[in-house]
Amino acid sequence: MSIFTWFDERLELKKFKARFLVKTFPTHPTFLLGELALYSFVTLVVTGVFLGLLYEPSTRMVSLFGSMVPSAYASVVKIDVLPLGMIIRRIHHWSAMLMIAAVLAHLMRIYFTSAYRKPREINWLVGLGLLGMSLLAAFTGYLLPFSQFSVTATSIAFYVAKSVPWVGDWISRLLFAGEFPSEGTVSRFFFMHVMLIPAALAGLISLHMLVLVKQKHTEPRSNKNRKEAQGGRRLIGIPVWPEQSVISLSFYLFFLSLVSLMATYIPLNPIETYGPPSPGTPVMRPDWYFLPVYGFLKLIPGDLSFSVLGGKITPETMGGVIFPGFLSLAAALIPFLDQWKEPQHYIVNPLHRPFMTSLGAGAGVFLCMTAAAGYIDLLHVTPAKMTIYVILAPLVAWGITYTLLERYRRKRGIHVKT
Ligand code: HEM
């Protein structure tokens, strides 16, 4: 009896194969961006288990090379000198960065091809939750090495949390376990980073996949005629087993090679150079994915604050709470503003929908400009001038993209309701 038959008699594997492994997967490479995010998450969990076994989430002072430093910091320095320690730490770091890049690229694919339309609004919202959780995972990971860099970077978020009107004190106590940096902050962040957030990510990814299996993928409009000729099967593509699985495995191996190459040649913020927390404040900027918020904070005049219903709105509230809150709300509303009565199963060519594509282009330029504002000290531009650029550049990008696409659409006689 083969091993497959042995398992099949107990678990009815053939039924599972007939039901799920024949599911069709689209062949267009942009449909692999979601998978890329998934692979990064798996790699983060595996490398994170290794790091978690060696990391000490405490600020207890211990001796390291003759000086007294917090044990969280000392444990990360020790990981770096272990055989394979540094490379695994770097793979963890670069996988986190690739995950956020992949999630954003996946989001752009969904937005620009209007794959969020009815009935996929739920997966759009679950996806936004995944983006938020991925950013939270990166943010909580920042503090763990407990170097001067980590503490300075996290203190910005502490003042943002504190600035939330009415409930700021409560939120900052909940997240940071009191004032920052305090005895309890590291262990609280460690718990969120290794338990709460990965569990939420795993749960949301499962929900995302369940909804996807139920609703099936969108597909290119060009499939319509082919499908009708084939008797109207819902999706044209390749089956999960074996074709898609082989492509996915090859793609994962490619991802692992890329991230290992990055880990070999690109160093992290060297915690040994920054050293443990000390009274001095180093000049630092957050990683690229937090730059728009950081840049926006830099543009708001430091003395601009006012009260609303007894709650104080400070520059930190505007840059760190209202700005990302507004972006999240705008993103969440997209499928409900671009509403359709009938379910839409074919993706739309971005060149055929001038309004939404140019809106996306304008939003992209706006985020890049706010990120550039994070470098205002190096750009030799005053905050007032930079604010004008941040407002004007997206409008110009929107106007140019819209005009060009409208001209293209008219010339080709394309009529798409968008
Ligand atoms: C950890 C983050 C994420 C993972 C692991 C993930 C994974 C996936 C995978 C594997 C697919 C199927 C392949 C594909 O269509 O690309 C998919 C589809 C989809 N995802 Fe995500 N995703 C994530 C985040 C997001 C985000 C941020 C959004 C949007 C806000 C989103 C919205 C969607 C939608 C609407 C679909 C269906 C697309 C279609 O049918 O064409 N996802 N996701």
Side-chain angles (χ1 to χ4, degrees), residues 112 117 221 347-357 405-406 408-409 412 414-418:
F112 283 109
R117 283 177 177 168
R221 197 162 286 271
I347 55 176
V348 182
N349 183 339
L351 298 179
H352 296 176
R353 47 194 297 248
F355 181 73
M356 291 305 274
T357 302
L405 290 183
E406 254 307 295
Y408 172 85
R409 195 179 67 78
R412 302 253 168 148
I414 298 160
H415 178 74
V416 180
K417 209 172 92 189
T418 48

mmCIF file of all heavy atoms in Angstrom, residues 112 117 221 347-357 405-406 408-409 412 414-418:
data_model
loop_
_atom_site.group_PDB
_atom_site.id
_atom_site.type_symbol
_atom_site.label_atom_id
_atom_site.label_comp_id
_atom_site.label_asym_id
_atom_site.label_seq_id
_atom_site.Cartn_x
_atom_site.Cartn_y
_atom_site.Cartn_z
ATOM 1 N N PHE A 112 -5.608 49.706 -9.573
ATOM 2 C CA PHE A 112 -5.539 50.174 -10.966
ATOM 3 C C PHE A 112 -6.314 49.292 -11.941
ATOM 4 O O PHE A 112 -6.650 49.732 -13.032
ATOM 5 C CB PHE A 112 -4.078 50.347 -11.407
ATOM 6 C CG PHE A 112 -3.467 51.604 -10.844
ATOM 7 C CD1 PHE A 112 -2.504 51.561 -9.850
ATOM 8 C CD2 PHE A 112 -3.873 52.852 -11.299
ATOM 9 C CE1 PHE A 112 -1.959 52.723 -9.317
ATOM 10 C CE2 PHE A 112 -3.338 54.024 -10.775
ATOM 11 C CZ PHE A 112 -2.384 53.955 -9.783
ATOM 12 N N ARG A 117 -13.968 45.941 -7.103
ATOM 13 C CA ARG A 117 -15.398 46.180 -7.309
ATOM 14 C C ARG A 117 -16.243 45.000 -6.844
ATOM 15 O O ARG A 117 -15.744 43.889 -6.686
ATOM 16 C CB ARG A 117 -15.644 46.427 -8.796
ATOM 17 C CG ARG A 117 -15.231 47.819 -9.225
ATOM 18 C CD ARG A 117 -15.424 47.975 -10.701
ATOM 19 N NE ARG A 117 -15.109 49.332 -11.119
ATOM 20 C CZ ARG A 117 -14.973 49.683 -12.383
ATOM 21 N NH1 ARG A 117 -15.112 48.797 -13.339
ATOM 22 N NH2 ARG A 117 -14.682 50.929 -12.694
ATOM 23 N N ARG A 221 -10.267 40.901 -19.352
ATOM 24 C CA ARG A 221 -11.479 40.985 -20.184
ATOM 25 C C ARG A 221 -11.325 40.152 -21.463
ATOM 26 O O ARG A 221 -12.300 39.632 -22.000
ATOM 27 C CB ARG A 221 -11.712 42.463 -20.548
ATOM 28 C CG ARG A 221 -13.089 42.778 -21.053
ATOM 29 C CD ARG A 221 -13.330 44.261 -20.961
ATOM 30 N NE ARG A 221 -13.544 44.672 -19.586
ATOM 31 C CZ ARG A 221 -14.730 44.691 -18.997
ATOM 32 N NH1 ARG A 221 -15.791 44.339 -19.662
ATOM 33 N NH2 ARG A 221 -14.863 45.066 -17.743
ATOM 34 N N ILE A 347 -11.152 42.357 -15.014
ATOM 35 C CA ILE A 347 -10.400 43.547 -14.613
ATOM 36 C C ILE A 347 -10.455 44.580 -15.742
ATOM 37 O O ILE A 347 -10.673 44.232 -16.896
ATOM 38 C CB ILE A 347 -8.927 43.220 -14.253
ATOM 39 C CG1 ILE A 347 -8.232 42.495 -15.393
ATOM 40 C CG2 ILE A 347 -8.847 42.457 -12.977
ATOM 41 C CD1 ILE A 347 -6.771 42.241 -15.133
ATOM 42 N N VAL A 348 -10.259 45.842 -15.376
ATOM 43 C CA VAL A 348 -10.342 46.910 -16.366
ATOM 44 C C VAL A 348 -8.923 47.389 -16.663
ATOM 45 O O VAL A 348 -8.103 47.535 -15.754
ATOM 46 C CB VAL A 348 -11.195 48.078 -15.816
ATOM 47 C CG1 VAL A 348 -11.340 49.166 -16.856
ATOM 48 C CG2 VAL A 348 -12.546 47.577 -15.373
ATOM 49 N N ASN A 349 -8.656 47.630 -17.929
ATOM 50 C CA ASN A 349 -7.360 48.163 -18.313
ATOM 51 C C ASN A 349 -7.235 49.590 -17.742
ATOM 52 O O ASN A 349 -8.081 50.441 -18.039
ATOM 53 C CB ASN A 349 -7.290 48.174 -19.856
ATOM 54 C CG ASN A 349 -5.939 48.641 -20.362
ATOM 55 O OD1 ASN A 349 -5.199 49.311 -19.641
ATOM 56 N ND2 ASN A 349 -5.631 48.286 -21.594
ATOM 57 N N PRO A 350 -6.188 49.881 -16.948
ATOM 58 C CA PRO A 350 -6.069 51.223 -16.342
ATOM 59 C C PRO A 350 -6.052 52.341 -17.385
ATOM 60 O O PRO A 350 -6.468 53.457 -17.095
ATOM 61 C CB PRO A 350 -4.747 51.178 -15.587
ATOM 62 C CG PRO A 350 -4.315 49.768 -15.571
ATOM 63 C CD PRO A 350 -5.104 48.986 -16.556
ATOM 64 N N LEU A 351 -5.621 52.034 -18.616
ATOM 65 C CA LEU A 351 -5.578 53.074 -19.656
ATOM 66 C C LEU A 351 -6.985 53.445 -20.117
ATOM 67 O O LEU A 351 -7.192 54.467 -20.737
ATOM 68 C CB LEU A 351 -4.793 52.580 -20.875
ATOM 69 C CG LEU A 351 -3.328 52.228 -20.642
ATOM 70 C CD1 LEU A 351 -2.700 51.726 -21.927
ATOM 71 C CD2 LEU A 351 -2.575 53.447 -20.133
ATOM 72 N N HIS A 352 -7.969 52.591 -19.761
ATOM 73 C CA HIS A 352 -9.336 52.830 -20.225
ATOM 74 C C HIS A 352 -10.196 53.553 -19.192
ATOM 75 O O HIS A 352 -11.388 53.716 -19.392
ATOM 76 C CB HIS A 352 -10.021 51.488 -20.581
ATOM 77 C CG HIS A 352 -9.354 50.796 -21.720
ATOM 78 N ND1 HIS A 352 -9.741 49.556 -22.163
ATOM 79 C CD2 HIS A 352 -8.310 51.171 -22.511
ATOM 80 C CE1 HIS A 352 -8.967 49.182 -23.173
ATOM 81 N NE2 HIS A 352 -8.089 50.145 -23.393
ATOM 82 N N ARG A 353 -9.635 53.868 -18.036
ATOM 83 C CA ARG A 353 -10.452 54.564 -17.021
ATOM 84 C C ARG A 353 -9.681 55.786 -16.507
ATOM 85 O O ARG A 353 -9.096 55.754 -15.419
ATOM 86 C CB ARG A 353 -10.859 53.601 -15.903
ATOM 87 C CG ARG A 353 -9.698 52.758 -15.401
ATOM 88 C CD ARG A 353 -10.104 51.590 -14.568
ATOM 89 N NE ARG A 353 -10.760 51.951 -13.354
ATOM 90 C CZ ARG A 353 -10.254 51.776 -12.114
ATOM 91 N NH1 ARG A 353 -9.091 51.303 -11.928
ATOM 92 N NH2 ARG A 353 -10.935 52.084 -11.067
ATOM 93 N N PRO A 354 -9.702 56.864 -17.282
ATOM 94 C CA PRO A 354 -8.876 58.039 -16.982
ATOM 95 C C PRO A 354 -9.080 58.598 -15.575
ATOM 96 O O PRO A 354 -8.110 58.945 -14.908
ATOM 97 C CB PRO A 354 -9.325 59.067 -18.024
ATOM 98 C CG PRO A 354 -9.955 58.279 -19.098
ATOM 99 C CD PRO A 354 -10.514 57.039 -18.483
ATOM 100 N N PHE A 355 -10.329 58.646 -15.105
ATOM 101 C CA PHE A 355 -10.558 59.312 -13.827
ATOM 102 C C PHE A 355 -9.874 58.572 -12.673
ATOM 103 O O PHE A 355 -9.082 59.155 -11.928
ATOM 104 C CB PHE A 355 -12.063 59.472 -13.552
ATOM 105 C CG PHE A 355 -12.315 60.185 -12.262
ATOM 106 C CD1 PHE A 355 -12.077 61.557 -12.163
ATOM 107 C CD2 PHE A 355 -12.742 59.508 -11.132
ATOM 108 C CE1 PHE A 355 -12.267 62.228 -10.961
ATOM 109 C CE2 PHE A 355 -12.933 60.170 -9.935
ATOM 110 C CZ PHE A 355 -12.696 61.532 -9.852
ATOM 111 N N MET A 356 -10.163 57.277 -12.548
ATOM 112 C CA MET A 356 -9.622 56.528 -11.412
ATOM 113 C C MET A 356 -8.097 56.375 -11.522
ATOM 114 O O MET A 356 -7.383 56.440 -10.520
ATOM 115 C CB MET A 356 -10.276 55.145 -11.300
ATOM 116 C CG MET A 356 -11.730 55.178 -10.901
ATOM 117 S SD MET A 356 -12.030 56.089 -9.367
ATOM 118 C CE MET A 356 -11.757 54.840 -8.136
ATOM 119 N N THR A 357 -7.598 56.163 -12.732
ATOM 120 C CA THR A 357 -6.150 55.988 -12.889
ATOM 121 C C THR A 357 -5.410 57.288 -12.543
ATOM 122 O O THR A 357 -4.400 57.267 -11.832
ATOM 123 C CB THR A 357 -5.816 55.531 -14.331
ATOM 124 O OG1 THR A 357 -6.523 54.326 -14.566
ATOM 125 C CG2 THR A 357 -4.342 55.302 -14.532
ATOM 126 N N LEU A 405 -4.824 60.335 -20.799
ATOM 127 C CA LEU A 405 -5.660 59.129 -20.908
ATOM 128 C C LEU A 405 -6.977 59.426 -21.617
ATOM 129 O O LEU A 405 -7.477 58.588 -22.373
ATOM 130 C CB LEU A 405 -5.934 58.531 -19.514
ATOM 131 C CG LEU A 405 -4.719 57.899 -18.821
ATOM 132 C CD1 LEU A 405 -5.113 57.267 -17.497
ATOM 133 C CD2 LEU A 405 -4.080 56.839 -19.709
ATOM 134 N N GLU A 406 -7.522 60.626 -21.373
ATOM 135 C CA GLU A 406 -8.771 60.990 -22.046
ATOM 136 C C GLU A 406 -8.534 61.064 -23.554
ATOM 137 O O GLU A 406 -9.338 60.563 -24.349
ATOM 138 C CB GLU A 406 -9.248 62.366 -21.553
ATOM 139 C CG GLU A 406 -10.433 62.341 -20.607
ATOM 140 C CD GLU A 406 -11.639 61.584 -21.109
ATOM 141 O OE1 GLU A 406 -12.252 62.006 -22.110
ATOM 142 O OE2 GLU A 406 -11.961 60.552 -20.483
ATOM 143 N N TYR A 408 -6.219 59.521 -25.255
ATOM 144 C CA TYR A 408 -6.004 58.134 -25.722
ATOM 145 C C TYR A 408 -7.346 57.413 -25.883
ATOM 146 O O TYR A 408 -7.602 56.742 -26.870
ATOM 147 C CB TYR A 408 -5.123 57.426 -24.688
ATOM 148 C CG TYR A 408 -4.951 55.934 -24.903
ATOM 149 C CD1 TYR A 408 -3.969 55.443 -25.766
ATOM 150 C CD2 TYR A 408 -5.759 55.014 -24.225
ATOM 151 C CE1 TYR A 408 -3.811 54.081 -25.955
ATOM 152 C CE2 TYR A 408 -5.607 53.659 -24.413
ATOM 153 C CZ TYR A 408 -4.630 53.202 -25.274
ATOM 154 O OH TYR A 408 -4.480 51.851 -25.453
ATOM 155 N N ARG A 409 -8.215 57.607 -24.881
ATOM 156 C CA ARG A 409 -9.515 56.923 -24.887
ATOM 157 C C ARG A 409 -10.351 57.391 -26.089
ATOM 158 O O ARG A 409 -10.933 56.571 -26.802
ATOM 159 C CB ARG A 409 -10.251 57.227 -23.573
ATOM 160 C CG ARG A 409 -11.425 56.332 -23.269
ATOM 161 C CD ARG A 409 -12.047 56.700 -21.941
ATOM 162 N NE ARG A 409 -12.687 58.016 -21.961
ATOM 163 C CZ ARG A 409 -13.875 58.248 -22.489
ATOM 164 N NH1 ARG A 409 -14.562 57.276 -23.029
ATOM 165 N NH2 ARG A 409 -14.383 59.469 -22.467
ATOM 166 N N ARG A 412 -9.019 56.164 -29.505
ATOM 167 C CA ARG A 412 -9.294 54.750 -29.782
ATOM 168 C C ARG A 412 -10.781 54.420 -29.776
ATOM 169 O O ARG A 412 -11.154 53.259 -29.938
ATOM 170 C CB ARG A 412 -8.626 53.884 -28.700
ATOM 171 C CG ARG A 412 -7.150 54.068 -28.595
ATOM 172 C CD ARG A 412 -6.463 52.873 -29.164
ATOM 173 N NE ARG A 412 -5.058 53.120 -29.344
ATOM 174 C CZ ARG A 412 -4.146 52.178 -29.224
ATOM 175 N NH1 ARG A 412 -4.503 50.967 -28.915
ATOM 176 N NH2 ARG A 412 -2.896 52.463 -29.440
ATOM 177 N N ILE A 414 -12.679 54.219 -27.203
ATOM 178 C CA ILE A 414 -12.985 53.283 -26.104
ATOM 179 C C ILE A 414 -14.078 53.887 -25.242
ATOM 180 O O ILE A 414 -13.962 55.048 -24.813
ATOM 181 C CB ILE A 414 -11.732 53.033 -25.234
ATOM 182 C CG1 ILE A 414 -10.643 52.401 -26.079
ATOM 183 C CG2 ILE A 414 -12.051 52.181 -24.014
ATOM 184 C CD1 ILE A 414 -9.272 52.554 -25.490
ATOM 185 N N HIS A 415 -15.115 53.094 -24.968
ATOM 186 C CA HIS A 415 -16.140 53.596 -24.069
ATOM 187 C C HIS A 415 -16.235 52.664 -22.873
ATOM 188 O O HIS A 415 -16.692 51.541 -22.977
ATOM 189 C CB HIS A 415 -17.496 53.675 -24.768
ATOM 190 C CG HIS A 415 -18.569 54.140 -23.829
ATOM 191 N ND1 HIS A 415 -18.664 55.459 -23.431
ATOM 192 C CD2 HIS A 415 -19.530 53.459 -23.163
ATOM 193 C CE1 HIS A 415 -19.666 55.566 -22.566
ATOM 194 N NE2 HIS A 415 -20.203 54.371 -22.394
ATOM 195 N N VAL A 416 -15.730 53.127 -21.720
ATOM 196 C CA VAL A 416 -15.836 52.311 -20.504
ATOM 197 C C VAL A 416 -16.487 53.177 -19.450
ATOM 198 O O VAL A 416 -16.093 54.326 -19.255
ATOM 199 C CB VAL A 416 -14.448 51.840 -20.002
ATOM 200 C CG1 VAL A 416 -14.592 51.001 -18.756
ATOM 201 C CG2 VAL A 416 -13.743 51.042 -21.076
ATOM 202 N N LYS A 417 -17.490 52.615 -18.770
ATOM 203 C CA LYS A 417 -18.156 53.373 -17.712
ATOM 204 C C LYS A 417 -17.250 53.353 -16.490
ATOM 205 O O LYS A 417 -17.020 52.290 -15.898
ATOM 206 C CB LYS A 417 -19.498 52.698 -17.398
ATOM 207 C CG LYS A 417 -20.560 53.649 -16.904
ATOM 208 C CD LYS A 417 -21.873 52.955 -16.798
ATOM 209 C CE LYS A 417 -22.019 52.404 -15.389
ATOM 210 N NZ LYS A 417 -23.113 51.544 -15.163
ATOM 211 N N THR A 418 -16.652 54.492 -16.113
ATOM 212 C CA THR A 418 -15.808 54.469 -14.920
ATOM 213 C C THR A 418 -16.147 55.616 -13.984
ATOM 214 O O THR A 418 -16.626 56.626 -14.422
ATOM 215 C CB THR A 418 -14.307 54.623 -15.289
ATOM 216 O OG1 THR A 418 -14.184 55.704 -16.181
ATOM 217 C CG2 THR A 418 -13.759 53.369 -15.876
#
